[in-house]
Amino acid sequence: MSLPIAPPSQHRQRALIALTVLGGVALALLAGVAAGKLAALDDRTHFALLVALPAAFALGLLFVYARETLLLLIILFRANLDPMLNMTKVGGGGAAIGLGGLLNALIIGLIVMELFNRRRIPVGRLMMQTWLPLLVVMVGTLVITPRLVPGIKNDLALLSNAAIFLLAFVYVRDKVSHDAWMRAVLLSTIGPLLYGYYQIATHQGFYDAQVGMRIDSTFSHPNIFAFYLVLMVSLLFVVWRGGLLPVSTRVRQLLPLYILLLLFLLMATKTRSAWGAMAFFFLAYSLVMERKLLPLLILVGLASLLLPDVRERITELTTGNSGMYYQQLNSFAWRKEMWIAALHFMTPSHYLFGYGKESYAFYSQMFYPLGNGEGPPAHNVYVQVFFDGGVLGLAGFVWLLMGTGVLAAAVRKTDRVEGFLLVMLVLEFALVSVSDNMLDYLVYNWYLWFVLGVGISLHAARLTQRAENPVPSSAAAAHPRPVQRHISGRMS
């Protein structure tokens, strides 16, 4: 006789349905409350909020029923969404919040749910080697920060970077899943590429008073778009030359053209640090992987100087370095002055813990005020984390770079090409952090840390497979392999 009790799976299904219904009711109530306030808003904000409410409901459904699909959609389309997400923001300044905040929460929620339900990955070791020290310091400095709400938002953004890094270990189980996720990352370039060329054709974009029109495509700033392009070009170049992903002959023939289209957009962003990072990648690839490419890449680099915008942006660095005779400082010279002013402003009592998360922008209006009275951001991650979190914050960021670099370098034991790529991505990130606010560029960070996670997780899966299916002694004698060590602080 069977018991009149539903199996656990049915109970779970009913609970999910109930949760969905309650969520729908909550959103309906929220919509009703908001409807009375929409009349006072302009048509653009009105439309954005009307779109945001059903979008939030749809995202909630995916989170409950199809979490892997939700992540796939985020990877495919997050690079396209900044203009729309910015329209949904409510509030002003650093306290503004919108649908983008919901996406951040969903990414964090995804890793929590997957770990709680069924996935088993070495979270403790991965976090300890990468994000945990920096997160602990930056969360701790919220106690002393003069900008609590922006500080909390920024810490949640850092946590979402760590979460998307871990999610790669959840969903990458073998080479097939690795390749599928990498393709999704590369497919995300289609929208930004098309809109970038639309901006060029229609003379739109981000207007900079010093350098003129810059292309920002679907991103909130040209710099973010530029670093995203550096990441994607690095990936595509290794797919083309190194065979990172299996592609058809026709696709391989078209890849050089697609890479050139992206490189032209990179030039149109007028972001010099991104140009330097891209040149660094090509130089390293030609020296380490294919030396026959070195003369060709040098010629291409020299030919790029024939472009007026490129030549002008580079020659700007030769003037405006002293500020004498009321000469306007170039962008790098004024940044150096600002960094020196920030370090002089700090007192020894703040060297250990800093002034608190997001405090740099608050105090910079005192030690380096701009013409409008506002304080500029640091434009240097090393200076920023030292100012915000003291020596502990700086140590946490350096630990993040070194720990991730060790994990990336170990990938070369199972895949030389991908190992090189991942090490270069870490080095590019460390390099451009000297002159830009890299930790504040959320979209770029999501793609960077997801790609790093995808590559490292495949390496870990291969090591696990080798441990579970050891090579017979006779075969090992005929084909000796180096000893592999499992993923940890030293890949052991």
Side-chain angles (χ1 to χ4, degrees), residues 145-147 337-338 340-347 350 355 358-377 387:
T145 181
R147 305 181 71 218
E337 281 202 356
M338 178 180 63
I340 294 172
L343 296 177
H344 286 167
F345 178 84
M346 293 185 72
T347 59
H350 288 276
Y355 288 86
E358 288 293 291
S359 62
Y360 189 98
F362 178 83
Y363 289 107
S364 63
Q365 57 189 326
M366 302 178 187
F367 61 76
Y368 203 85
L370 298 175
N372 57 5
E374 296 181 358
F387 193 96

Side-chain angles (χ1 to χ4, degrees), residues 63 67 70-71 106-114 167 171:
F63 180 79
R67 286 186 285 274
L70 173 60
L71 179 62
L106 288 175
I107 288 293
I108 297 170
L110 278 175
I111 189 62
V112 172
M113 292 295 292
E114 294 293 11
L167 281 169
Y171 294 121

Side-chain angles (χ1 to χ4, degrees), residues 210 272 320-321 328-341 360 368 370 376-379:
Q210 293 184 337
R272 285 179 297 222
N321 288 296
Q328 184 177 7
L329 293 173
N330 64 55
S331 60
F332 188 69
W334 76 256
R335 288 178 187 185
K336 288 192 296 183
E337 281 202 356
M338 178 180 63
W339 300 333
I340 294 172
Y360 189 98
Y368 203 85
L370 298 175
H379 293 285

